[in-house]
Amino acid sequence: MFSIPRVGKVAGCYVQNGVITRGSRVRFLRDGVVIWNGQITSLKRFKDDAREVQQGFECGIGLSDFQDLKQGDVIETYELREIART
């Protein structure tokens, strides 16, 4: 967890599975309970902005309207898709 002036708190993360993309929807879990749903506002790899971060890499994630970050929290990303009826 990092505090950055004018931005707020940023979560230092390690991608365990899949890919994290900027702008994707997230579920924020603490002790297995969803405590917040929202969106990723910033995604950084080292000091550079990143569009996506692959499995096995570290990144910094800024969340919209959520600053209550603690060590051990889990961030799950997901994608909403609208599928036409057949």
Side-chain angles (χ1 to χ4, degrees):
M1 194 168 24
F2 305 97
S3 291
I4 299 176
R6 294 181 293 167
V7 173
K9 290 187 179 179
V10 174
C13 300
Y14 178 78
V15 182
Q16 293 180 342
N17 295 317
V19 177
I20 295 182
T21 56
R22 187 175 359 148
S24 61
R25 308 272 309 155
V26 295
R27 255 182 231 110
F28 198 84
L29 301 158
R30 182 171 293 153
D31 299 324
V33 177
V34 176
I35 59 171
W36 182 77
N37 285 310
Q39 197 167 358
I40 294 176
T41 56
S42 67
L43 183 64
K44 294 201 180 249
R45 177 103 172 92
F46 298 108
K47 291 188 177 189
D48 302 324
D49 284 330
R51 181 178 297 168
E52 66 178 26
V53 178
Q54 300 286 329
Q55 176 179 339
F57 291 102
E58 296 176 343
C59 61
I61 297 176
L63 303 171
S64 64
D65 306 327
F66 189 74
Q67 300 292 311
D68 183 28
L69 304 171
K70 293 186 181 175
Q71 187 173 351
D73 290 341
V74 176
I75 299 173
E76 289 182 346
T77 62
Y78 62 95
E79 184 178 306
L80 292 177
R81 292 185 189 171
E82 191 171 315
I83 300 172
R85 285 189 186 177
T86 56

